[in-house]
């Protein structure tokens, strides 16, 4: 990436159909983890006009009511009236759930490194990765969230859009919505908001002029710093002119179809898989969280201004097959030394990740909308957002 450029990232509200699906998937996971922290879950959801389908593989001792979970999730989002095009009380909910494949389970239950050994279930070496694949984690000191500014602002706009709907400030708003922020960078520093887009579902009896005025004054200006906005900033509000029909009634939604929204807004690569609906033995989720955790601590420790980490796994194998670090020329010590510190200070085996980040507790529905990373807005900070390794890293680095 050159020193001067424009970069765009988008976010969506919790009422976006894909995010409805993500939230139902993670609500199912949370319900299982509440009663069975060792449950194995891979729950995929599709929503469309008038119905929800939940499918996948679940092995658990917990007894849950998926239909009830789906309806409660949809109600919380705000689809609770038929005139919104999707109603939590009248939509059909279908399930097609099977158990986790025994072929997969045997590799997760006993990692290849220790297979055949008589180990306790609590042994960190016991669990193998639940799948092959590569995951990326990233952090930057550009924002207080340690996230790229375009995605941080896009998420903040989406949260604000939902807040003014739910608190009654703008009574005509409905749950579906999208935001997008395009920032101009000079010398890799954000200096100007080139374009800001807000698209929001609304009742049919409000004018586009009113929506535009409200979005600029009630949503955009309270969120986007004043120094980024000038007379050349373009605001696009509901650019089609009308957004009455929205949510699952307008577009089908699928779990895992907003993975770039879930991570870094396209600023850095995304790994091979989605997060929602997967228990933490699936490294698509836990590996991505661990690389974020490590990258954030590297940046918070002052070892680099930016840090991207890639990790890769083989199914049934505990130790990663590769670990790569890229600081984009911002490292204060050598990247080779940072790579060494990653192995010295962090354990990337799945069981260690689960232990260190406390991933077996219900917490995933809360991050199924507005991003999994940078969630300093949540009452309880997720384990992967903590910076509790800063002192260890600084000491090991001799800083």
């Amino acid at each position: 990436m050159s020193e001067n450029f424009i970069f765009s990232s988008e976010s969506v509200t919790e009422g976006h159909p894909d995010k409805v699906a993500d939230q139902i998937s993670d609500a199912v996971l949370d319900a299982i983890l509440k009663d069975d922290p060792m449950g194995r879950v891979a729950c995929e959801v599709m929503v469309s006009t008038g119905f929800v389908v939940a499918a996948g593989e679940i092995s658990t001792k917990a007894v849950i009511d998926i239909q009830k979970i789906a309806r409660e999730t949809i109600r919380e989002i705000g689809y609770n009236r038929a005139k919104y095009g999707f109603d939590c009380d009248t939509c059909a909910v279908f399930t097609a759930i099977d158990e986790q494949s025994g072929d997969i389970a045997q590799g997760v239950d006993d990692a290849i490194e220790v297979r055949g050994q008589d180990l306790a279930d609590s042994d960190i070496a016991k669990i193998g990765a639940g799948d092959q694949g590569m995951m990326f984690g990233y952090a930057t000191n550009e924002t207080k969230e340690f996230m790229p500014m375009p995605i941080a602002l896009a998420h903040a706009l989406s949260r604000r859009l939902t807040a003014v709907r739910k608190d009654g400030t703008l009574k005509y708003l409905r749950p579906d919505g999208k935001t997008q922020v395009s920032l101009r960078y000079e010398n890799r520093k954000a200096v100007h908001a080139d374009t800001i887009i807000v698209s929001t579902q609304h009742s049919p009896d409000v004018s586009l002029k009113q929506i535009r005025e409200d979005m600029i004054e009630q949503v955009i200006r309270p969120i986007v710093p004043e120094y980024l906005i000038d007379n050349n900033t373009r605001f696009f509000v509901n650019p089609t002119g009308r957004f009455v029909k929205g949510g699952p009634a307008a577009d089908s939604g699928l779990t895992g179809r907003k993975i770039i929204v879930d991570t870094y807004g396209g600023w850095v690569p995304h790994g091979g898989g989605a997060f929602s609906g997967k228990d933490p033995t699936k490294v698509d989720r836990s590996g991505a969280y661990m690389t974020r955790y490590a990258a954030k601590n590297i940046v918070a420790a002052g070892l680099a201004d930016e840090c991207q980490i890639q990790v890769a796994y083989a199914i049934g194998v505990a130790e990663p097959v590769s670990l790569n670090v890229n600081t984009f020329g911002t490292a204060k010590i050598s990247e080779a030394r940072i790579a060494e510190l990653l192995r010295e200070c962090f354990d990337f085996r799945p069981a260690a990740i689960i232990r260190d980040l406390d991933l077996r507790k219900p917490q995933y529905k809360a991050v199924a909308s507005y991003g999994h990373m940078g969630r300093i807005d949540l009452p309880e900070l997720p384990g992967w957002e903590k910076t509790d390794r800063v002192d260890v890293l600084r000491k090991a680095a001799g800083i």
Side-chain angles (χ1 to χ4, degrees), residues 9-25:
S9 291
E10 73 159 351
S11 177
V12 299
T13 66
E14 59 200 56
H16 187 281
D18 293 328
K19 278 292 147 199
V20 173
D22 283 339
Q23 288 166 92
I24 295 172
S25 291

Side-chain angles (χ1 to χ4, degrees), residues 108-395:
V108 178
D109 293 340
D110 294 288
I112 194 171
E113 295 97 325
V114 297
R115 201 162 296 162
Q117 298 182 31
D118 186 17
L119 298 179
D121 288 340
S122 60
D123 195 292
I124 295 300
K126 185 176 176 62
I127 295 179
D131 202 351
Q132 72 174 46
M134 70 290 185
M135 300 85 218
F136 288 88
Y138 175 81
T140 172
N141 58 16
E142 181 181 20
T143 64
K144 63 183 179 181
E145 296 93 344
F146 287 83
M147 293 286 285
M149 190 177 289
I151 188 64
L153 290 176
H155 282 321
L157 288 171
S158 288
R159 290 196 300 269
R160 176 68 180 173
L161 182 58
T162 295
V164 296
R165 169 176 65 89
K166 288 188 170 182
D167 69 13
T169 300
L170 299 177
K171 297 182 184 300
Y172 60 80
L173 293 181
R174 292 180 177 174
D176 198 357
K178 302 179 77 172
T179 65
Q180 186 168 294
V181 176
S182 301
L183 297 184
R184 182 181 300 278
Y185 280 75
E186 295 179 2
N187 298 316
R188 293 186 67 83
K189 299 293 183 183
V191 297
H192 180 247
D194 184 82
T195 307
I196 299 173
I197 306 171
V198 177
S199 294
T200 181
Q201 187 185 13
H202 58 87
S203 65
D205 54 357
V206 61
S207 69
L208 178 60
K209 180 177 182 294
Q210 183 65 57
I211 296 171
R212 177 181 169 82
E213 290 176 358
D214 287 342
M215 290 302 102
I216 293 174
E217 295 305 319
Q218 299 285 345
V219 176
I220 295 174
R221 292 198 181 278
I223 295 299
V224 181
E226 289 185 13
Y227 75 88
L228 292 175
I229 297 176
D230 62 18
N231 292 333
N232 294 317
T233 299
R234 296 181 296 173
F235 299 110
F236 290 120
V237 175
N238 284 10
T240 69
R242 181 178 170 88
F243 189 178
V244 173
K245 187 175 183 180
D251 293 292
S252 61
L254 293 171
T255 298
R257 200 159 59 178
K258 283 289 177 285
I259 57 176
I260 301 304
V261 172
D262 286 341
T263 53
Y264 307 100
W267 188 269
V268 295
H270 189 287
F275 304 153
S276 290
K278 297 177 181 177
D279 75 82
T281 66
K282 278 75 170 176
V283 285
D284 282 335
R285 169 164 244 156
S286 52
Y289 289 167
M290 189 62 176
T291 51
R292 163 63 177 177
Y293 173 60
K296 186 174 181 180
N297 276 270
I298 290 289
V299 174
L303 305 187
D305 295 333
E306 297 181 64
C307 183
Q308 173 188 292
I309 299 170
Q310 185 207 51
V311 67
Y313 293 91
I315 189 169
V317 181
E319 289 285 351
V321 298
S322 70
L323 188 64
N324 177 270
V325 62
N326 183 356
T327 63
F328 307 94
T330 68
K332 313 307 179 186
I333 60 177
S334 72
E335 284 189 354
R337 180 54 184 151
I338 291 177
E340 292 174 355
L341 290 173
L342 288 176
R343 295 189 179 276
E344 292 173 13
C345 301
F346 301 92
D347 191 337
F348 285 85
R349 292 175 296 175
I353 297 172
I354 293 168
R355 174 200 64 193
D356 293 344
L357 303 186
D358 196 13
L359 298 184
R360 290 205 186 275
K361 67 180 182 181
Q363 59 186 313
Y364 299 109
K365 182 183 172 186
V367 296
S369 52
Y370 313 116
H372 293 244
M373 317 303 177
R375 296 306 302 274
I376 61 174
D377 61 296
L378 296 176
E380 182 179 353
L381 198 65
W384 57 92
E385 289 300 318
K386 295 180 179 178
T387 52
D388 52 4
R389 300 289 177 92
V390 166
D391 291 341
V392 173
L393 286 165
R394 290 178 64 85
K395 182 177 180 180

